[in-house]
Every structure is written in structure tokens, then in C-alpha cells.
Amino acid sequence: MTTRSIQGEKNLRKIDQASEDGIGRSPLRPDGALKVKGEFAYSSDLWHEDMLWGTALRSPHPRANIRSIDISAALAVPGVHAVLTHEDIPGSPYYGLEFADQPALAVGKVRHQGEPVALVAADHPETARRAAKRIAVEYEVLTPITTEEQCLDPGRYGYVHEPHEYRARAHGNLCHEQRLVAGLGVTDEVRALADVIVAGEYEVGMQDQAFLGPESGLAVPAEDGGVDLYIATQWLHVDRQQMAPVLALPEEKIRLTLAGVGGAFGGREDLSMQIHACLLALHTRRPVKIVYSRDESFFGHVHRHPARMRYEHGATRDGKLVFADCRIVLDGGAYASTSAAVAGNAASLGHGPYVVPNVRMQAISLYSNNPPCGAMRGFGAVQAAFGYESQMDRLAAALGMDPVELRQVNALAQGDVMPTGQQVDSPAPVAELLQRVKDRPLPPPLDPSDRRALPGALSNTSHGEGIVRGVGYSVGIKNVGFSEGFDDYSTARVRLEVIGGAPVAMVHTAAAEVGQGGVTVHAQIARTELGVERVAIHPANTEIGSAGSTSASRQTYMTGGAVKLAAEAVREALLERGRRRHGWTHGDLALAGGRVVSASAGVLAPLAELLGDEPIERTRVHRHRPTVALHPETGQGFGHVQYSFCANRAVVDVDVELGLVKVVELTAVQDVGRALNPLAVVGQIQGACTQALGLAVMEEIVVTDGKVRNASFTDYLIPTVLDTPPIPVELLELPDPHAPYGLRGVGEAPTVSATPSIVAAIRQATGKALNRIPVRPEHLTL
Amino acid sequence: MEFLRPASWDEALAAMAEHPGALPVSGGTDVMVELNFDLRRPPAVLDLNRVAELAEWSSDGASVRLGAAVPYARIIDELAGPLPGLATAARTVGSPQIRNRGSVGGNLGAASPAGDAHPPLLAAGRGVRVEAHSVRGVRLIPIDEFYLGVKRNCLAPDELIRAVRIPVADGPQQFSKVGTRNAMVIAVCAFALALHPADGTVGTGIGSAAPTPRRAPEAEEYLRESLDWTSGGPLDPQVPLRFGELVAAAADPIDDVRGTAAYRRHALAVLARRTLAWCWDDYREQLGRTA
């Protein structure tokens, strides 16, 4: 809280207090009640007179050549206004976040099931869907390349992208490779230094972001030949940047406005229907709306990379890590998306929040004919954490040590050096987080009389029989902000003016509010910095500079930081106006309670009077400190801006005969630097823990030979309230001197750390090795 | 697609005669999903929501005549006494919203092997009849003959399910369902058991582990011979084990995205053992009270 020092007159106390709804407080989010009551307008609720409905025809095959496309039958359907293929694309056929390797509409071949092949616009969504079915596509079906072995042997199994089509930085079916060597690497000599060596192979299934609001948006053709797009996305400007070359329009003719976003979790970082809606709108000169069905949504966005990992750890008898040897293979699917950055994260964070003197790491991302994978909350750090935390438990068992103690013996701390050579230059209280989570009281023993508390719950599978309790611990590390030399910035405009006699701040950014609560926090920052109560949040759009993505736990740090800079600039301009106008010379001026106050002289002027009818507006860009790319062979470099740590304890009850799991409690202790809105911070941590629980015990897109077998919420299961335990959260607030207000990005660390704690608890209850997540009942019983 | 809204049962039957193969909809928990996902485009949909008597039940003390559209929520609230197995199964159906709309008639109409109502209907045993009506008359179909294959039943294209007749429980009944989440989940496999002390028989029902819901006749026969109905003595530990094996052997499961065949057999054996233990405990308690 920003309680400023107060001297002098007593009547100053009232007005010089921090705003009730400033930073450090927990004002409620403006969209919360609307969402709960079903009144919030999501992008799927957009409506425009005369609008058409667009839909895509998608490939049923994971790998095929397209011999011909006949659209005539679809065009003949009454109500159809356009049927488009790649031949109708005015600009480049390709787009992509890191490499432009993904066709907006298939060009001659399809590389994954669900790849869009053609578009239809019609006056009714059903008409559009029916017409799409009448597009005749002749495929030459090829055997898909889906396994690591197949991908790494293109001579035998073929190329996902032929060498002449290849656009990434590696070769063959390799999309990206990041190696890392620290200390002496891992050699026979290094191995000989270890008293105990444990090795394991681990596998992570393909998790989906499973946001509830399907991809949707509305494109409106503009008189200037451009297009206005209302869209649920994570990053307006990077959408536009990818759209412009395909639409063959200058960026300024593509104007994006954020529509209501129903969750994102990384799944909206890539384009989905943006280009499609704009192509149809520009072609028909009519507004075009596209809303995915749930089924289409599973094919319309990238997923979390499935991973296969091999870890070997060596330690001395007293538990000190000697080396870590790791190989992480990520399946990126047909297109690059953010695979390179995900692999970079896996490599640079894949040894965990531990001091490891000797490391050899190889992280690769493959091209395959599986569904494309990209950003999802935790971004490469999640997969690795399942590997290294499983290893820590295995090592503790081999050493006969307590698993928490083993982690503490090796815990990273401020001043330590990561295997990338980067020194950790802000608090890294890993050992303390573990201690605090361990010291929390355990939940009471099982009460079988409450069936809801049992594994299986009201499915009535047990009345207490076969239930064994287990407890597991884990800790994880995640980077905050964009890493590896990315020029990461955000822009904010703050305007202070008098409306209805009172000072009102207007905050304008392009930051995507995806449910994280950015709009709440930006208003809190403006209140604190400007001493006003009323703050309006301007709709996010491309009229202002980029805010960067709502991802990488970065938005409060980056856009919050930009709002702070802009508000400070407004404050300074206002005080300067006062000095000029009134000759103030005080060195202790502040804005509070709608007034300019001096700590020594008391109230100097109401803000409304000083502002008059001359608003003050400032725009500022906030950059975090620069990072550098990791060396491709050694992985060395100051690659990350900030690290975020969370420790978890999971308590589970397992029906060991049926293999059913009930997570009883999932405790989280996290260092958040500074909680700008403690309620929102706890919400982020609890949400992240729940998503991690899903990965631990149920969430997986099952893919067989490149085909998705469960593209629905009937069979892609996410936790219900009966699966979600109490999640006690304890916050540490150790300020990071490099960050605005000392804050640390919070949204991802628990998705990294919580999954392994649940699996560890299930292992303790069952004695099973459990080298694959999600853990399924058959893994526990057969 | 035609949309038919009969105001009465007779109108409904007449509409079916005129539009054989029309898809009846009541709660819509299955039908609307299929329509919305464009998985099914029937020539006609017959909305039964105006036929009020479908949502009523009655009982003569010996059996319950359960209207096809009585929602699961009411089965839980009103019929847990006479139909404990079905009520337990009803508790596991979907979400509260689904339980407010979904009904046994819908389960029977869809005839999915995963329908939660099927196992307790099979276990409730002799005397369970599906009342199928058409303008041609009424058929009382024994439940054992109702299911023909995956999502196929023996209804004629012009027939509607009016009600299900289920004997009032004469002994303990149980239902257990395995899913990979703790609520709102489709069965990986399910099992229902009913003890019938009146004639010393046992009923079973297996869900989601064969092309149709089915009984485990050998397991039923084994229990009938093995249970000491008169003394109600504790179970020989071998009995639940053997019963479980026989139930597992009666299943014919497949590997699918929800679970493996091997796991389904394994889990059915566990469910069979446990439900037998619970039912037998209840039975002994009842005996003790009457003695």
C-alpha cells in the first residue's frame, strides 16, 4: 500500500490516504458480475446488420495432397455469397508467429487434420456449413508422419515441409533445437563424481487450453478498402502484423478492436478465424461473422506440446546435485507457431529451480502431421517440470532423503547462477516456499460419510474401500515476459480530465483482457498514481501502440508498467502546470483524494480546478530490461527478464483398486513480488493450479495416427467443482527491484509446479512409477 | 426438417404413424446435442413436451409405471424408496441441469451402451417392461429384449415409449459407475446389482462394456446358489471374488478413448464385489430388523 508520510495538519490524514481501490487493494473486476450473470458480451455475441456468416471447410486427413477443389456445388446453394480457396488470397498465402510457414488456406496439400481448405460466406451459419460440405475436394491421402522416430528419419518417412518449403531455422522435420551445456557438461568423469544416479523417461500428453468462449469475431469492410475486425485475441498488433501480408493491405488499413474474450491460456496467441473473416468480408463487401463450434475449436487453435523426455540426475550422498542430463522432445505438429520459443524455454528452465553445476540439455521441437502446438500457460516449462520434479522424488528415494529436504538442499537462491550463465538478480526464495508449503497444516483425514469427498464421488464407486491417501510436493520455475532478445514493450495512454466536476482518468492500451483482470489493475494503478477515484478503461484497439501479448505472465508487469509511466507523466505535467500557474516550490507534492497536496503545506488545489477544461494526456512505452538470445549450442546468455516460483503440496485420496483419484487439497505458496490486487492474484494461482490438476489426472487430446479422437467436452474432460479441491494460497511479497512496484508475474508458475505435486502424491498412495501424464485409471490398476 | 408438436398422446402417436422415423425429443439432452453438432438430421422431430402425462409416474405398490419423460431429478427425489437402484444411477447422470431435463425414456430411446439408466433397469429384472405405443397398439417389451446393438433398440419406426414398468424393489439395490472425473462424466463402465429375496434371485446390469447394456447371467446364477438368504450369514470371502470374475467375464468391452477393455473388465470385477458387499450388508441389516 502506498501510504505516504504525513506531517503537519491533522486534517491531511483523511485526504492523504491511498485510494480504497488503489494498488494493493482488491477492488472487484468490472466484468465479474456480468460474466456470472450471463450478461457479458463475448465475441460470439457480436452482431451487425446485413452480416454474413463464415465457415471453413477443413481437412479430414492429417496428410494429403489436394488434387482438385470443386466449389461449384457450394456456390449454387441459395444464400451463399462467396466460396474462397487459397487462389482467392490477394497477398502471401502464409502467416505465422515466428515463421510464416502456415497457409491461411491449404495450398496443394494438407499437413494436419482440421487444416482449413476453403471458406464459405452465407446468410445463415447453417447454410454456410451445408454449402461447405458440398465443396468437393479430391485428396491423395498420404501416410502421416506422427512419431518421433518417423519425424527424425525424413529420408524414410518423408517431410512435413519439403526442403524447398522449409521456413524454420533447423532442417528436416526438426522445427527448432536448443542445446545447453553448463559446467563440464555431462561426461563419464562428471558421472563419476556422483554417488547416486537416477534416470527416467517421462511423457506428457497433449493438453488443450479448453477456453469456454470459442474462437469468434466480426470483420466489417471499410470504405477505405480496409477492414475493421472485432476479435477475441491475446495480442491485437501481432494479429494485424500477420494478417496484413495475406490480405495485401497496409497495416493501418486493418483496424482491430478487442471483443469480449472467453478465456485464452495461450490458445488465442495464434490466428484462428481472423484472416478468414477478413477475406470473406473484403470479398463480399459485407460484414462477416465467424463463430467456431466446440468441435471446430479443437481444430482451430494450437495446443500444449506433448513431450517425451529423458532425464538423468546424479547427486552426492548428501543430496547435492552433481549433474543433470536431459533430452526433451516436443511435438510441434504441422506448423511452427511458437515452437521455437517453447523449446527455448524447455531448455533454459528444464533443470528446474535448482543449482546444478553440470548440465547437458537438448530440447527439440518436431514438425509432424499431428495437430499444431504452440502457446499454452506454462509454455515449455510445464512439460519439463514433470520430468525434473519426478526425478527429484526418484533421487530422494534413492538417497533415502525427505523429498522436500532434497529440493531445499539444491534450491536456487538470489545470486545463484542458472545453467544459462544468467545470475539470478532478484529474490528467488525457493527453499522458503518449500518450507512454508510443508509447514501448512494437513487437511483432516478422509470422512467416507460424505460421498462427494471420495474418489468417484456421487458415482458411488466406494464407501471407503480401497482408498489410500498420498502427499506430494513440488516446486517450479517460470520465466516472466518475452525472453531471448525479444524487443518486448507495451504502450499506454493516460488522460486526466474533468467530467461532471470531478477528475477522471482514462486509460487506453491495446492490452487484451482475457479474464486475467488487467482492466482492474490498470485502473488501480491510475488511482494510485493520480489520486483519483474515477477511472475509465478505453476499449483496447490498434489506435494505440502495441501492448504485447497477454501471455508469459507479463501483462501487469509490462502494460501495468506502461500505465504507471504514463500516469506519472500526467502527474508531472499537472504539477508543472501548478508550479507555473501558482508558483509552487514545494518538494513534497503528491496527488491524493482528488487534490494536489503538500506534505508540509496541506491541500494546495483540487485537481478539477487545476485541470479546468485543459485535459492532460500522455502516452508512454514501457520496456523491460533487454535480454539476449541463448547461444544455440551452449544455451548461454542472459535470456530471461524475471523468474517466477511456486511451491505446491498435493494431498490426494486414491481408490487404488479402481484407479480413481480425488485431490483433497492443493496448497500453493508463491512469491509474487508485490500483489497489486491480492484477490486477483489468488484467483490466478487457484486457476493455474486447477489447470495443472487437469493435466495431472484427466486433460488430454488423444491423437491416433494424426487424428483427434476426442474433440468435444464430452470426452476432453476438464475439472468440475467436485474435482477441484480447496486451494489454500500463501503469498510472499519480496520485491523485484527491476519490476514496476516490485511485482512478479503470477499467472503461470503454478501451472508449472502443481502438476508434479499431484502425481507425486498419487505415486505415494499407489507405489506406481507413473511416468506419463495425465494419469489414467488403468495406469494405477493394471 | 419438420417440427411436430402434438398436444396429446394420441396426436403424438398419429404423428408418428404419419412420419415414421421422426425423432422424438423431450428433455433433449441427447437429441439436441446431436442436432446442434450436426451429427443427425432426421426428417422430422417430434416434440413431446406438451404431452403432460409422460412426466408422471404411478405405482400400485408392486411396480412403478414410470412415465418416459419423468426427469432424473424427480426420480432421485420421489422414487429412491421403490426404485433405489435407478435413483442411485439417476444421481450420476450429467449435471443438475441435465438431471432436470433428462429422462429414462430418452436413455431407452438413444439406447447408448453408456446410458446410466440401463444397468439398474436390467438388474431390477423379471418384470421390467418398456411400454411401446403406436396407433397399432401397445407392446410390453421385456427389458432383456429391448436393446439390439450400439444405439439400436427394438422400437418400430412408428412407436413411442410411453413408460417403463419396473417392479418395486424387494431387496437392496446398488449402482456404481466409473468415470475419469468425479462428476458430469460418461461411464467408462457401470454396474448395477439388485437382490431379490422374495424369490432368492439376483439381478445384474452392465453398462458401457459391451455393444448393448447387458446382464451377467452366470454371475446371477452363481450368486443365487451361493447366497444364504435365510440365515443372512456373512459372505464367504470367495463369493464376491468369484462373482466379480463372472461379471467381468460377461462383459465384452472395447478399447476406446474413455478406457481400455482390460481396465473395464478389471473395474467391473471391483464394482461387482463392492456392490455385492453393500447389498448383502443391507440385506443382513433388514433381516436383523425383521427378526
Side-chain angles (χ1 to χ4, degrees), chain A residues 145 286 333 472 508 521 644 736:
Chain A
I145 305 160
R286 295 267 294 268
H508 186 184
V521 165
S644 172
D736 176 350

Side-chain angles (χ1 to χ4, degrees), chain A residues 620-690:
Chain A
R620 288 292 180 271
V621 171
H622 177 228
R623 281 186 161 76
H624 61 62
R625 55 194 177 142
T627 60
V628 300
L630 301 174
H631 188 280
E633 293 300 321
T634 66
Q636 298 300 296
F638 192 94
H640 296 305
V641 185
Q642 186 188 56
Y643 297 106
S644 172
F645 306 94
C646 181
N648 289 93
R649 182 183 66 203
V651 179
V652 304
D653 283 334
V654 183
D655 184 329
V656 296
E657 287 185 301
L658 287 174
L660 302 180
V661 175
K662 168 86 180 178
V663 181
V664 175
E665 187 187 78
L666 183 55
T667 308
V669 183
Q670 185 169 339
D671 173 24
V672 302
R674 173 92 191 271
L676 295 204
N677 184 319
L679 184 64
V681 164
V682 168
Q684 280 291 310
I685 294 170
Q686 291 179 328
C689 284
T690 306

Side-chain angles (χ1 to χ4, degrees), chain A residues 156-189:
Chain A
R156 181 164 174 199
Y157 296 99
Y159 293 88
V160 178
H161 298 260
E162 297 294 332
H164 71 273
E165 303 167 324
Y166 187 88
R167 286 181 169 81
R169 277 193 223 103
H171 55 82
N173 289 322
L174 211 52
C175 177
H176 192 75
E177 173 167 23
Q178 178 67 58
R179 288 173 182 268
L180 185 151
V181 181
L184 303 169
V186 179
T187 60
D188 288 346
E189 288 75 24

Side-chain angles (χ1 to χ4, degrees), chain A residues 126 129-130 133 454-463 465-466 655 657-662 697-698 702 709-710 713-715 717-720 722-723 776-778 781-782, chain B residues 33 35-38 41 88 91-92 99 174-186 255-260 262-264 266-268 270-271 273-275 277-278:
Chain A
E126 182 70 24
R129 278 196 290 272
R130 287 184 180 193
K133 283 185 184 162
L454 291 160
L458 296 178
S459 292
N460 193 40
T461 47
S462 169
H463 296 174
E465 302 95 325
D655 184 329
E657 287 185 301
L658 287 174
L660 302 180
V661 175
K662 168 86 180 178
V697 296
M698 63 181 82
V702 181
R709 295 171 64 197
N710 57 340
F713 279 164
T714 306
D715 282 313
L717 300 182
I718 53 178
T720 69
L722 280 183
D723 302 285
R776 299 179 59 95
E778 55 262 35
T781 52
L782 301 179
Chain B
V33 173
L35 294 181
N36 285 337
F37 286 6
D38 205 11
R41 282 288 177 266
T88 305
R91 283 190 193 95
T92 76
R99 293 194 286 274
Q174 281 289 350
F175 171 83
S176 277
K177 159 172 146 183
V178 168
T180 41
R181 136 172 113 181
N182 287 312
M184 259 175 63
V185 69
I186 292 183
D255 289 337
D256 67 14
V257 74
R258 291 171 194 155
T260 63
Y263 173 75
R264 287 184 160 103
H266 165 86
L268 280 172
V270 175
L271 297 183
R273 294 200 301 265
R274 290 184 181 175
T275 51
W278 303 336

Side-chain angles (χ1 to χ4, degrees), chain A residues 111-154:
Chain A
R111 298 184 179 88
H112 69 94
Q113 185 197 18
E115 178 153 359
V117 174
L119 304 172
V120 178
D123 53 16
H124 190 279
E126 182 70 24
T127 307
R129 278 196 290 272
R130 287 184 180 193
K133 283 185 184 162
R134 299 182 66 169
I135 300 170
V137 185
E138 195 189 343
Y139 291 102
E140 178 196 352
V141 178
L142 304 172
T143 306
I145 305 160
T146 59
T147 67
E148 178 186 344
E149 293 67 29
Q150 291 167 356
C151 292
L152 293 179
D153 191 355

